[in-house]
Amino acid sequence: QVQLVESGGGLVQAGGSLGLSCGASGRIFGVFTMGWYRQTPGKQRELVATISAGGSTNYADSVKGRFTISRDIAKNTVYLQMNSLKPEDTAVYYCYALYRAIDYWGQGTQVTVSS
């Protein structure tokens, strides 16, 4: 069982920056894929960025060049630095982990970008 706890998020003006972090805890052994998804009302949850156990990153086209995902393996923590934020980035952001073929999700944190 893996527990994911997010922090960060909030309200920012367009063009601003925010950072999210997510710590994983539980009976965890080794390194595993972590990442971020987001969801707005009435829409499906969508990929924002992931980072694999080997450190490979994957980004949604809509955030490439603006968002950066990173991790601290020793702390089992993943970060998302969001720059040049746009109103369309407004969503609930969920931390994600794939551990031993099971998907785990955080509780979500709201990011609101005002125009």
Side-chain angles (χ1 to χ4, degrees), residues 32-37 46-53 55-60 63 67-71 78-80 94-98 105:
F32 47 94
T33 293
M34 296 185 72
W36 296 92
Y37 284 68
E46 64 176 10
L47 168 75
V48 176
T50 59
I51 184 165
S52 72
S56 297
T57 57
N58 181 44
Y59 294 92
V63 307
F67 290 12
T68 302
I69 189 169
S70 61
R71 72 189 305 167
V78 65
Y79 305 95
L80 185 69
Y94 294 91
C95 181
Y96 164 79
L98 174 62
W105 298 94

Side-chain angles (χ1 to χ4, degrees), residues 49-113:
T50 59
I51 184 165
S52 72
S56 297
T57 57
N58 181 44
Y59 294 92
D61 287 343
S62 59
V63 307
K64 283 180 181 177
R66 300 188 298 122
F67 290 12
T68 302
I69 189 169
S70 61
R71 72 189 305 167
D72 184 329
I73 292 174
K75 296 181 179 179
N76 283 323
T77 298
V78 65
Y79 305 95
L80 185 69
Q81 179 62 38
M82 304 181 290
N83 299 328
S84 302
L85 282 159
K86 304 175 181 179
E88 50 264 43
D89 293 318
T90 295
V92 177
Y93 283 69
Y94 294 91
C95 181
Y96 164 79
L98 174 62
Y99 183 70
R100 296 189 175 181
I102 298 175
D103 295 332
Y104 293 92
W105 298 94
Q107 78 283 1
T109 185
Q110 178 70 45
V111 171
T112 302
V113 184

